[in-house]
Amino acid sequence: LGERDPAANLTIVSGDLAGNDNPAVASTYNDNSYHLLTANTGTGGLVDGFEFRAGNAHGAGASNLDKGGAIILLTGQSPTFQNCRFIDNRCTFGGGAGYLNGSSPKFFDCSFENNQGGSFGGAFDSANGTQPVFERCVFKGNKALRAGALEFFGGSQPKVTNCLFVGNQATGSGGGGAIWLGSSSNGTFRNITVTGNSATQNAGGILNTGGTSSFVNVISHGNTGPGTVADNGIKSQGGTSSVTYSCVQGITSGTGNISDAPQFVDPANGDYRLEDAAHLARLDA
């Protein structure tokens, strides 16, 4: 186990049954599997080192075949995923990469790229008291009508730590280019970077429409959408957001907060680490 290299030697679970997927032609996905992984009630366990690609949950809603293009985890299911990639999965209702309902999975060192969530959650749609954990994960290029990457609904309690959100899109009226919270969901967000995301109608970065959420040491800057500059950082519209020691565009209050643009090392090439003070001093000189 210690000698493997899951990045160089991929183990791919693909839903492209006919081998004919073309991202520009939606109909080429019609033959694809509804889900790539489902779990039974009470399932724990570990899923490590897999790539989940090209699931397409486009069936009837009554049997959840329109939710969770790659994975679907219902009540009491709490597996752990690590070193996994979720790429180009789709659904028509919610959760391009995964649909969570009353479950509490954990995701460590995973990436979620170019998933399409239909109405809700380009990467994940979470509902009914879910308590998911995301640590050291990357959300890139996902999109849905509401919540470009992550949606938390119905009293969900997510913990999101050391994660990057870049290039996600909310293309409908619901907003939340990267993250959307609502319906009494209470999130804890630590050390996350939210940049380069967009919304067509409301909140290009993070939108909190219900519940109380905490944001500490968060960067939410350089997101685009309508309204004021602050509307595209962390926007509270019915929810309560505690923001401290963070760098948020347009923010004017709160302990330790600044609104200055973050100095990323090389965002054009995907390096969103912050420049160190010594390097910045040399540049200024």
Side-chain angles (χ1 to χ4, degrees):
L1 181 65
E3 295 175 347
R4 69 180 180 145
D5 185 344
N9 304 292
L10 298 177
T11 301
I12 300 174
V13 181
S14 174
D16 183 10
L17 302 180
N20 66 337
D21 284 2
N22 179 346
V25 183
S27 61
T28 62
Y29 289 77
N30 289 343
D31 65 284
N32 292 24
S33 301
Y34 294 121
H35 316 297
L36 305 181
L37 183 149
T38 61
N40 295 320
T41 300
T43 298
L46 174 65
V47 181
D48 189 348
F50 289 85
E51 180 177 299
F52 297 92
R53 179 186 287 272
N56 185 24
H58 62 292
S63 54
N64 287 325
L65 296 181
D66 58 349
K67 305 175 181 71
I71 62 175
I72 184 165
L73 304 175
L74 305 179
T75 304
Q77 300 167 1
S78 55
T80 296
F81 296 81
Q82 64 185 31
N83 302 310
C84 291
R85 302 175 69 195
F86 297 76
I87 301 175
D88 195 23
N89 301 285
R90 304 180 176 203
C91 71
T92 54
F93 181 85
Y99 177 73
L100 312 177
N101 191 315
S103 57
S104 301
K106 296 179 174 64
F107 299 87
F108 302 120
D109 302 293
C110 294
S111 63
F112 308 90
E113 305 169 37
N114 301 323
N115 301 286
Q116 299 185 29
S119 296
F120 310 108
F124 282 91
D125 182 11
S126 307
N128 295 331
T130 62
Q131 298 182 40
V133 172
F134 297 93
E135 292 189 11
R136 302 180 303 277
C137 293
V138 175
F139 300 84
K140 182 179 180 181
N142 306 286
K143 66 180 179 180
L145 293 178
R146 186 173 80 187
L150 295 178
E151 165 148 335
F152 301 109
F153 190 85
S156 293
Q157 299 180 49
K159 293 183 179 180
V160 183
T161 307
N162 293 325
C163 292
L164 170 66
F165 298 79
V166 60
N168 303 288
Q169 303 175 59
T171 59
S173 61
I179 300 169
W180 185 97
L181 298 114
S183 184
S184 301
S185 292
N186 304 309
T188 301
F189 301 87
R190 299 285 186 273
N191 310 325
I192 69 170
T193 296
V194 181
T195 187
N197 305 281
S198 64
T200 56
Q201 295 193 37
N202 196 2
I206 299 168
L207 178 59
N208 182 5
T209 72
T212 299
S213 291
S214 171
F215 301 86
V216 179
N217 196 30
V218 167
I219 296 173
S220 185
H221 219 288
N223 306 293
T224 58
T228 67
V229 171
D231 285 338
N232 295 299
I234 298 175
K235 183 176 182 178
S236 297
Q237 184 176 289
T240 300
S241 301
S242 171
V243 184
T244 55
Y245 303 102
S246 294
C247 174
V248 180
Q249 61 192 76
I251 199 166
T252 58
S253 62
T255 302
N257 294 326
I258 61 173
S259 61
D260 305 62
Q263 302 299 306
F264 297 124
V265 171
D266 189 5
N269 290 302
D271 190 342
Y272 292 94
R273 295 174 300 159
L274 293 175
E275 291 275 15
D276 61 74
H279 184 224
L280 290 176
R282 290 195 298 271
L283 292 177
D284 290 340

